[in-house]
Every structure is written in structure tokens, then in C-alpha cells.
Amino acid sequence: KIYRGKGIVPGIVIAPLHILGGTSSRIGRSGGAVSKDEEAARYRGAAEAAAAEFARLSRLTRERAGEEEAHIFDIYCVMLEDEDLGGEILRRIDEGESAEEAVRASGDALASMLRESDSEYMRERSYDVDTVCDALLSALGGGGGSFEVTEPSVICARDLSPSETVSLDREKTLGFVTAEGGTSSHTAILARAMDIPAVVALGEMPDAGDGGICILDGGDGTLTVAPDDETIRKYREKQRDYRNCMEQTNKVKNKKIK
């Protein structure tokens, strides 16, 4: 079966498909007997921890992608201090919600507002709100852990955050595909900088078993699951042609530089 999305980084990958359960589960404890002051302190501590993690990811991104891409995580640090998010979280805590409840509710409200925008750019910023809130929930103890890729494969997820994208093991992540996301998202920007063949916005998770062979075509924006032998043969030829084309292009670029 062929799934069609939006290609963001060209390249053809023929490899096992590794399906992830998704990004952070966003579960956390509900309100209890902890005081408002203690909940506010927990939130502030989580915000500091999230800022430290984003600073680490910023340094990692400078190494793996570049200076400009590293600013993505600097922006997340600024978002942690933004009154629209942080102020609303503290207001909800003051009204009796737990830190986890306040983060989820505040983040969902702000992300929903952004998703209703007429601007594609603003709609995709909703994913940044999700990323920041997931980092807060993780610091509070209510977020999901990281995932591990054990063999070279194509990663498939509902969505990948910029944090997850920049942390991918490039030796084992041959490409990735997501059901959600957009071409101007921060995840897409990082994928381009890291030169990872990728397709986003499939609209659905592939109906496929984990570990089966797939074909990712980042140029055409397609994912083929359970391809037959003839399809694999055709894509191997296309893959070879693409590599030869890229080699010739690089040779021309190198001559111009010299």
C-alpha cells in the first residue's frame, strides 16, 4: 500500500519500518493535598529543568545541524518564560489545579488557538507549544521517555518533536515519516539540516506491522509498505540513479569552490 504525504527531504530508503507509539503520553497525576505554593514550586522547578534540557539540545544541534537550527531550542527557552503560557499555568495552579493539570490545560488551550489560525506558519507553531509542554510534563515526572532504535530502519510516528529529531541516531535512522506535521515545522527544518530523508503529513498511521520492509521516497512524499519484489527492484534503480545524480552534483560544486 502507498501512503502519500509531503516530502521535506529527498532521498530513497528501502529498509524495515520501525513504528513508534507516539510522542509523550502527557499523563500526570491529578490534584491532591499538595498546597498551591508547593505546586507552583514544582512547576518552576520543572521550567528550570526544561530550560536546561533545551540548552543542552541547542548545543547538540549546533554540532549536528548548525547555528541557525540551534536557535529553535533557544526559542523554546523563551517560550518557557512567556506570560501567555507560564502566566496561565500559574493562574490555574492558584485556582487549585496540580502542576500537571495546569500545564496540560494551558498548553492545549494555546495550541488549539494557534491551530485555528488562517496562517499555516501559526498553525505549525502549535507543535512548538506541544514540545514545550511535553518537556515540562517530563520534568514533572508525567512525560514519556525517549525511544531507542535497535537496527537501521525508517522511523514512523504520529509526530516527532524537534527534541526527538535532533537526538536521532543517524547510523540507525535512515529516514522518518510522520502522520502529522508540516513542511515549515521546526522538525522539518532540522531534518533538512541533518539531511534525513523524510515525509510528513501522511494523515494517518500506516497499517503495517513493525519491522516489515518499506520504501520511503522523500522526493515524491510517499511511503510504500509491504512492497512486492518488482516495486523494490524499480526503487533500487531509482535509488542508484539518485545517488549518482547527487555525486555528480557534488563534484560540480567542489570544482566551483576550487
Side-chain angles (χ1 to χ4, degrees):
K1 182 176 180 179
I2 300 176
Y3 295 85
R4 302 185 183 279
K6 298 178 181 179
I8 54 175
V9 183
I12 296 171
V13 181
I14 303 172
L17 183 67
H18 180 49
I19 300 177
L20 304 178
T23 52
S24 170
S25 59
R26 287 182 149 219
I27 57 174
R29 69 181 188 81
S30 58
V34 180
S35 71
K36 296 177 182 179
D37 289 343
E38 288 174 313
E39 285 296 325
R42 289 183 65 238
Y43 161 68
R44 292 191 176 94
E48 291 179 2
E53 175 62 7
F54 286 141
R56 183 190 70 81
L57 290 168
S58 179
R59 293 191 295 271
L60 179 63
T61 304
R62 282 182 175 85
E63 298 173 2
R64 295 189 172 184
E67 183 72 28
E68 184 175 349
E69 290 76 17
H71 288 314
I72 291 171
F73 296 99
D74 298 333
I75 292 171
Y76 291 160
C77 288
V78 173
M79 289 176 65
L80 285 168
E81 301 174 357
D82 186 79
E83 184 65 21
D84 286 342
L85 183 61
E88 178 64 9
I89 291 171
L90 288 171
R91 183 189 69 78
R92 287 178 173 274
I93 289 175
D94 189 57
E95 291 181 351
E97 293 184 6
S98 70
E100 287 87 352
E101 289 173 326
V103 168
R104 286 197 302 273
S106 300
D108 288 347
L110 181 55
S112 295
M113 181 184 70
L114 291 170
R115 290 187 182 104
E116 293 174 358
S117 172
D118 293 332
S119 165
E120 181 181 359
Y121 175 83
M122 294 304 294
R123 289 197 299 273
E124 292 188 352
R125 298 291 70 78
S126 67
Y127 295 111
D128 297 329
V129 175
D130 291 339
T131 295
V132 170
C133 289
D134 283 341
L136 286 168
L137 289 170
S138 180
L140 286 165
S146 60
F147 56 84
E148 181 180 2
V149 182
T150 58
E151 65 175 335
S153 55
V154 172
I155 300 300
C156 177
R158 175 66 58 184
D159 194 17
L160 285 177
S161 71
S163 304
E164 291 167 327
T165 303
V166 77
S167 299
L168 290 172
D169 183 342
R170 284 297 282 115
E171 292 186 359
K172 295 178 181 177
T173 304
L174 304 182
F176 74 78
V177 57
T178 63
E180 301 176 357
T183 57
S184 61
S185 68
H186 284 156
T187 294
I189 291 170
L190 286 170
R192 293 187 188 101
M194 296 170 68
D195 196 26
I196 305 176
V199 174
V200 300
L202 287 185
E204 60 179 322
M205 288 290 285
D207 182 15
D210 190 71
I213 292 296
C214 74
I215 300 172
L216 173 68
D217 189 333
D220 288 346
T222 59
L223 174 73
T224 304
V225 299
D228 57 29
D229 292 342
E230 179 63 16
T231 301
I232 292 176
R233 185 190 66 78
K234 289 181 179 179
Y235 268 95
R236 288 204 186 280
E237 291 181 0
K238 187 175 180 180
Q239 186 182 54
R240 184 168 57 252
D241 292 342
Y242 176 78
R243 287 174 177 170
N244 290 337
C245 179
M246 292 304 297
E247 287 177 2
Q248 293 300 317
T249 300
N250 290 332
K251 286 180 181 179
V252 172
K253 287 182 178 179
N254 291 334
K255 285 182 179 180
K256 289 183 177 180
I257 292 174
K258 292 178 179 179

